[in-house]
Amino acid sequence: MSQYKIEAGTGQHIGDRQEQQDRVALFAAPHAPGYMMAVVADGMGGKSGGALAAEQVVRTSKQLFDEFYPGNNVQALLENILNEAHTVIKLTAVSSEKEPHSTFVALVLTPQHEAIWAHAGDSRLYRFTGPNFGEKTRDHSYVEKLVDEGKILPEEAKTHKLSNILVNVLGSTNATPYITFGKHKNLKVGDSFLLCTDGLWHYFDDAELSAAVAANTPRQASELLIRKARDRGNPRGDNCTFAIVKLINQPTEVKTYTVQKIRSAI
């Protein structure tokens, strides 16, 4: 099985909003070497409310990933994160008289060269193979439902007047959130992932995102994507937040020593 090194980074911009309500984080599992997690949350709910909801998603993700051990079920971990974060966000709504909500998308890479992800809402995960688009999550949104029913075309969804209406979020007092899982096995050098809020994906097509990620380091890609999103979204750009995870070749070991003949001790 091929060996690879994980190269990852995050990017974030407030856009033209007054407050940054998105959150993003990368974690290693202290009790499970070789496992890593990326998580992105897009908060909603008025001033500070959305930020509190998204922060709770990230905080819960770290807390439960810190308790993860090899042999534990990754899908169960992701579902527990969603359920616990949802419960706490609802309690926050009661105590603060706000109506906070959040989306959720998370990715876990395992030492068995497997990627497992889950999402709720319209924050997305993209998977790429080199410069080629592989797949992406399907939004839990009203317009995606219209697409599924054949009432609008996929290209109409982005500009539909109800494109911001979600049918599945954490923190809702009217419905229990559901989770959608994805999986990809036999990871190899050249595979990459992008997790992002709608403040990023709204301004790009699949090919643009795959090319930007493939041709650059995570930091370079972050700078490029934020700049383009700002150009295209100005003056009504949303919060823009994302994580990039790339699998690259292991660095070649460079010899930093010299071997000398050992003199006889006798």
Side-chain angles (χ1 to χ4, degrees):
M1 187 176 288
S2 63
Q3 297 298 313
Y4 52 74
K5 176 184 176 183
I6 298 174
E7 185 178 51
T10 64
Q12 194 167 40
H13 196 285
I14 195 171
D16 297 297
R17 301 299 175 89
Q18 294 184 339
E19 182 184 15
Q20 175 58 266
Q21 296 194 326
D22 297 348
R23 295 293 186 270
V24 58
L26 301 168
F27 302 123
H31 303 297
Y35 287 83
M36 71 85 61
M37 173 187 285
V39 58
V40 168
D42 183 352
M44 300 156 280
K47 186 175 181 180
S48 298
L52 288 173
E55 184 65 34
Q56 185 58 54
V57 171
V58 171
R59 188 180 298 117
T60 303
S61 298
K62 184 179 188 307
Q63 178 184 352
L64 295 188
F65 202 45
D66 281 350
E67 300 169 358
F68 183 84
Y69 284 83
N72 289 3
N73 187 290
V74 174
Q75 286 194 188
L77 163 73
L78 295 171
E79 190 162 18
N80 287 340
I81 290 172
L82 177 137
N83 290 330
E84 290 197 18
H86 168 65
T87 298
V88 176
I89 293 169
K90 283 205 306 179
L91 292 174
T92 301
V94 172
S95 62
S96 65
E97 297 184 353
K98 299 179 184 293
E99 294 185 7
H101 302 94
S102 181
T103 67
F104 166 71
V105 59
L107 165 72
V108 175
L109 299 186
T110 78
Q112 291 75 40
H113 294 223
E114 186 175 49
I116 302 166
W117 59 87
H119 83 287
D122 67 346
S123 289
R124 294 181 179 178
L125 177 140
Y126 290 79
R127 181 180 65 82
F128 310 116
T129 301
N132 301 313
F133 168 75
E135 61 181 310
K136 64 184 175 185
T137 53
R138 292 175 61 83
D139 301 337
H140 299 150
S141 64
Y142 179 69
V143 293
E144 193 67 53
K145 186 172 181 289
L146 295 179
V147 171
D148 291 342
E149 295 171 351
K151 295 180 179 179
I152 63 172
L153 297 173
E155 52 268 26
E156 296 177 289
K158 278 187 178 182
T159 56
H160 195 280
K161 62 181 180 180
L162 298 178
S163 62
N164 64 330
I165 303 299
L166 301 183
V167 298
N168 183 36
V169 293
L170 282 67
S172 172
T173 57
N174 300 318
T176 301
Y178 58 90
I179 191 167
T180 300
F181 295 102
K183 181 183 292 187
H184 184 72
K185 297 183 178 181
N186 301 319
L187 294 174
K188 60 185 183 301
V189 170
D191 290 341
S192 58
F193 299 87
L194 169 68
L195 293 77
C196 61
T197 62
D198 60 338
L200 181 77
W201 64 251
H202 185 83
Y203 302 108
F204 298 90
D205 60 35
D206 300 341
E208 288 179 310
L209 292 174
S210 60
V213 172
N216 298 280
T217 66
R219 179 172 180 174
Q220 293 167 338
S222 297
E223 293 172 350
L224 171 64
L225 291 173
I226 287 175
R227 185 169 63 251
K228 289 293 185 182
R230 292 297 300 130
D231 289 343
R232 297 174 182 183
N234 188 44
R236 294 183 296 274
D238 197 356
N239 295 162
C240 171
T241 300
F242 54 94
I244 296 172
V245 179
K246 300 185 67 173
L247 308 184
I248 63 173
N249 283 309
Q250 290 275 17
T252 302
E253 184 177 353
V254 178
K255 188 172 71 172
T256 59
Y257 57 87
T258 58
V259 177
Q260 296 179 341
K261 184 178 179 179
I262 299 178
R263 296 181 179 180
S264 174
I266 300 176

